[in-house]
Amino acid sequence: ELHTRAEKDWNQGQDALRRSQENQLAALHAELTQHSLTSVDLTLRLIEREELHTRAEKDWNQGQDALRRSQENQLAALHAELTQHSLTSVDLTLRLIEREELHTRAE
């Protein structure tokens, strides 16, 4: 009877130990799974941040290119206007010289 009771107690102790180990293993598994998910989540966030940074850099570069082209176009338009003004000025000067020569010849 003592042997049977001791065996029964030992079996109950073994069952309790097994359940405890299973619970610890399940808790450890859950923690590792959470850690893995957290690691994956952080990796995805880093990738998203890198993509946003790359996209922002690309947008900024495109903006800089557009600004440069706009400035080049404005400079070209200003150059054309100044060239036209210079040609007009030269044209007016030549006309004044011709008028002066005609006036001198007429005198």
Side-chain angles (χ1 to χ4, degrees):
E1 196 174 296
L2 285 176
H3 179 74
T4 304
R5 187 180 309 153
E7 191 176 355
K8 182 179 176 185
D9 289 346
W10 189 83
N11 286 337
Q12 287 176 346
Q14 289 298 308
D15 288 344
L17 180 60
R18 181 185 47 75
R19 284 192 303 276
S20 174
Q21 289 174 337
E22 287 174 352
N23 289 339
Q24 289 176 357
L25 184 59
L28 182 58
H29 182 265
E31 188 177 333
L32 288 174
T33 301
Q34 182 59 41
H35 177 73
S36 295
L37 290 176
T38 302
S39 176
V40 168
D41 188 48
L42 289 175
T43 301
L44 289 175
R45 287 183 183 182
L46 286 173
I47 290 169
E48 288 173 356
R49 181 179 290 170
E50 187 63 30
E51 288 173 351
L52 287 175
H53 177 75
T54 301
R55 188 177 310 146
E57 190 174 17
K58 181 180 176 184
D59 290 347
W60 188 83
N61 287 337
Q62 288 176 344
Q64 290 298 306
D65 289 344
L67 179 61
R68 180 185 48 75
R69 284 191 303 274
S70 174
Q71 290 172 338
E72 287 172 352
N73 290 339
Q74 290 175 356
L75 185 59
L78 181 60
H79 183 264
E81 186 177 330
L82 289 173
T83 300
Q84 183 59 39
H85 177 73
S86 295
L87 291 176
T88 302
S89 176
V90 168
D91 188 46
L92 289 174
T93 303
L94 290 175
R95 287 184 184 177
L96 284 174
I97 291 171
E98 288 174 357
R99 181 181 288 168
E100 195 60 38
E101 288 174 351
L102 288 175
H103 181 69
T104 302
R105 198 178 303 156
E107 282 184 355

